[in-house]
Amino acid sequence: MISNNAEIMEEDLKDKYQLEEEDKASLIEYTHKVLNFISKDTLNEDDKKFITKETVDDFKNFVNPGFLEYRKSVTNGGQYASVEWKDAGLNSFIDVSGKEYIDCLGGFGIYNVGHRNPRVLKAVNAQLKHQALHSQDLLDPLRGILAKLLAEITPGKLQYSFFGNSGTEAVEGAIKLAKIHQKKKGKNYFISTVGAFHGKSLGSLSATSKGMFRKPFMPLVSGFKRVFYGDVDMMYKTVRASSMVGEDIAAIILEPIQGEGGVIVPPHDYFAKVKQICEDFDILLIADEVQTGMGRTGKMFCVEHYGVEPDIMCLAKALGGGIMPIGAVIATEDVFSEFFPNPFIHTTTFGGNPLSCAAAIATINVLLEDNMPERAAKMGTYFISELRKVTRKYKNIVKEVRGMGLMIGIEFENDKTGYKVSKGLFDKGILVAGTLINAKTIRIEPPLTIEKAQCDFVCKALDEVLSNI
Ligand SMILES: *Cc1c(COP(=O)(O)O)cnc(C)c1O
């Protein structure tokens, strides 16, 4: 009887969920229309209208209408649509209506080698010609080569890499490595900092700090303690107190400069002092260089400024050269060897795929061959000093311009001003990071390929925007 019922249900479901022939045909036609415009180089007026309307409707009905409210609020005249369409050179992109933007947001730090860098694009295209993804069974060569390159360019004894597709996955990997390595010593606790951003999946969210992102999802992974960023004394006391009560710390996770937190540069000796605490208490130091890595701050990795060698490092964002998503967690042999006996203990299907690895290898080539970190240091020094010249005139609303290399923050007296400035710059064709949620400090993280003239253009626009406020 039970099986009879099941059969009847299957019959019902077939009818219920089978697409009607007509609907199927119209969906196929729709996909053709979209595939057609994807393959186009320039759009005609009908295309533009179609894409804009589709995008707005689809975000409303199928993505998340919340994005539209946000976009509407920052777009001139309260229109919804600024629908992006294509890149325009290394440092700019244009929307469907043809408006060009200098990209000072840099995808929150993914475009270090620029938009569609020709050498990264060439490598990915070439790889695509013979293999896109890996078999999942044989040994894939590019994964090994990329891991070797990372071991060479990262500081200290960092040697073995695990690849994922994002920053949050890199952080998950770091947390799991620290846990497995420290468990046998009875150390199960972590310390992260107020203002930290490490990602939004449940493990990394445990290390992330913003209450707004965390509270709805509690309880998170247990064992995370919090200290104020830059406060060595509090770090020491928390480590000591934790060990006195049997809650020994396995690892401390830190961003070398807090990005999402508002470009917070710690005291210069902070990292070295934390590293000393780690050594004294046998704690692992995890450097989350997802945003600060790959040349952004004027060195290949920001910890090089501090002369500190972490036990575990997280990378992502710019690692894929602004073309492919890829993240990596790289650790010393001592730590990573926990994964040797069973390499399947931590895996992900797409991690380390040939296309992403090709992109990352080409990115490292560009960063090294074009001396990008040095370029970021020089251009950053220029840009920061020019921004300071402009903002000095508006001391009543601008608190500070700070940063390292091309990771720059402008802090305002309040959220409202920062928001107005980022909106004003947007209208002038400059994209900066300053959202509704966090606009007190707007972030300027352009491609490291940004030209001096473009920096000057931004400074001039900022002057005009500030004088109107
Ligand atoms: C962006 C970021 C992450 C998260 O990366 P996703 O790819 O968005 O998951 C983690 N850590 C830092 C420091 C970041 O800036």
Side-chain angles (χ1 to χ4, degrees):
M1 243 172 75
I2 289 168
S3 74
N4 258 353
N5 270 347
E7 265 170 44
I8 288 165
M9 267 184 61
E10 236 172 65
E11 275 302 301
D12 283 352
L13 289 181
K14 220 182 217 165
D15 283 349
K16 200 167 165 193
Y17 294 114
Q18 193 89 28
L19 278 176
E20 298 284 343
E21 277 308 312
E22 273 172 67
D23 291 341
K24 185 175 163 191
S26 92
L27 278 184
I28 290 171
E29 197 190 309
Y30 177 78
T31 54
H32 274 302
K33 188 162 181 180
V34 175
L35 290 169
N36 180 41
F37 87 66
I38 291 175
S39 62
K40 277 186 170 181
D41 223 24
T42 47
L43 301 172
N44 62 35
E45 287 307 311
D46 282 347
D47 294 333
K48 289 178 189 171
K49 267 193 209 130
F50 170 74
I51 294 170
T52 304
K53 185 170 182 321
E54 274 299 308
T55 309
V56 173
D57 289 351
D58 296 345
F59 264 68
K60 184 164 162 223
N61 298 316
F62 305 107
V63 180
N64 186 337
F67 284 120
L68 293 177
E69 285 313 305
Y70 166 67
R71 201 60 268 164
K72 189 177 174 184
S73 72
V74 293
T75 307
N76 226 358
Q79 304 149 330
Y80 285 120
S82 288
V83 178
E84 59 191 23
W85 170 244
K86 66 177 186 179
D87 299 324
L90 287 170
N91 308 319
S92 304
F93 65 93
I94 57 181
D95 67 17
V96 286
S97 71
K99 182 174 170 184
E100 188 164 331
Y101 302 81
I102 295 182
D103 188 5
C104 280
L105 171 85
F108 296 109
I110 59 181
Y111 292 117
N112 289 16
V113 297
H115 286 250
R116 295 176 77 252
N117 183 294
R119 276 135 77 193
V120 180
L121 201 56
K122 189 174 161 205
V124 173
N125 273 329
Q127 178 59 38
L128 200 50
K129 279 190 192 135
H130 48 97
Q131 191 187 31
L133 300 176
H134 49 308
S135 72
Q136 310 285 333
D137 190 51
L138 277 67
L139 300 178
D140 39 329
L142 298 190
R143 179 194 307 259
I145 291 162
L146 176 58
K148 174 175 160 176
L149 283 169
L150 286 178
E152 292 289 338
I153 63 172
T154 50
K157 293 197 205 117
L158 296 174
Q159 184 176 345
Y160 285 90
S161 286
F162 171 82
F163 298 108
N165 312 286
S166 62
T168 198
E169 283 173 84
V171 173
E172 297 288 341
I175 293 170
K176 283 178 77 175
L177 271 171
K179 272 185 181 264
I180 196 172
H181 184 73
Q182 298 286 58
K183 188 144 209 99
K184 53 184 188 268
K185 299 178 190 163
K187 297 168 182 264
N188 300 309
Y189 289 81
F190 288 80
I191 294 178
S192 74
T193 55
V194 175
F197 186 82
H198 299 291
K200 288 181 188 158
S201 54
L202 288 170
S204 67
L205 189 60
S206 312
T208 288
S209 278
K210 206 167 222 177
M212 180 206 300
F213 295 141
R214 307 177 84 240
K215 263 201 144 159
F217 307 105
M218 285 179 175
L220 297 166
V221 174
S222 64
F224 278 80
K225 296 165 185 269
R226 205 80 36 174
V227 300
F228 286 105
Y229 189 69
D231 186 339
V232 178
D233 191 46
M234 187 175 185
M235 183 69 86
Y236 173 75
K237 283 179 174 157
T238 305
V239 166
R240 194 147 168 259
S242 302
S243 112
M244 286 168 87
V245 299
E247 296 184 353
D248 295 84
I249 305 300
I252 294 170
I253 180 166
L254 293 174
E255 293 157 273
I257 293 174
Q258 285 188 335
E260 286 283 315
V263 190
I264 310 295
V265 184
H268 200 74
D269 59 357
Y270 179 60
F271 259 69
K273 286 184 169 161
V274 172
K275 175 73 182 173
Q276 190 58 53
I277 296 172
C278 287
E279 276 171 13
D280 292 348
F281 286 83
D282 190 17
I283 293 167
L284 298 176
L285 179 61
I286 303 171
D288 181 350
E289 293 251 14
V290 167
Q291 195 162 152
T292 49
M294 314 317 291
R296 169 61 50 191
T297 68
K299 299 259 187 209
M300 189 62 93
F301 302 101
C302 189
V303 287
E304 294 171 33
H305 288 291
Y306 309 137
V308 166
E309 300 170 7
D311 304 286
I312 303 175
M313 185 188 273
C314 303
L315 298 173
K317 292 209 166 97
L319 180 60
I323 294 195
M324 292 300 296
I326 180 168
V329 54
I330 174 164
T332 60
E333 178 170 9
D334 182 39
V335 172
F336 200 95
S337 58
E338 308 291 350
F339 284 179
F340 289 175
N342 180 3
F344 300 102
I345 196 162
H346 184 66
T347 63
T348 177
T349 304
F350 291 126
N353 69 72
L355 285 178
S356 297
C357 287
I361 291 164
T363 302
I364 292 170
N365 164 269
V366 173
L367 289 168
L368 292 175
E369 202 161 65
D370 294 1
N371 298 309
M372 285 277 183
E374 291 82 350
R375 190 175 197 286
K378 267 196 212 130
M379 200 58 86
T381 303
Y382 174 74
F383 206 175
I384 290 174
S385 85
E386 291 301 300
L387 286 168
R388 282 187 180 146
K389 270 187 216 160
V390 169
T391 53
R392 208 173 288 148
K393 295 189 270 175
Y394 307 96
K395 277 206 182 97
N396 52 331
I397 44 177
V398 184
K399 254 178 105 174
E400 188 184 30
V401 176
R402 57 174 175 260
M404 235 193 242
L406 282 165
M407 185 159 181
I408 303 168
I410 308 177
E411 186 173 336
F412 298 93
E413 279 302 328
N414 56 50
D415 275 292
K416 238 171 113 188
T417 313
Y419 181 63
K420 273 192 208 157
V421 170
S422 64
K423 186 174 169 355
L425 289 172
F426 185 86
D427 292 343
K428 289 182 182 294
I430 297 161
L431 194 67
V432 296
T435 66
L436 278 175
I437 298 163
N438 185 12
K440 192 160 190 270
T441 300
I442 61 173
R443 276 183 284 159
I444 299 191
E445 293 185 54
L448 310 186
T449 49
I450 192 165
E451 302 291 339
K452 200 158 167 269
Q454 289 170 320
C455 297
D456 293 339
F457 179 84
V458 172
C459 289
K460 192 165 160 281
L462 179 67
D463 200 351
E464 287 163 16
V465 169
L466 285 172
S467 70
N468 283 334
I469 291 178

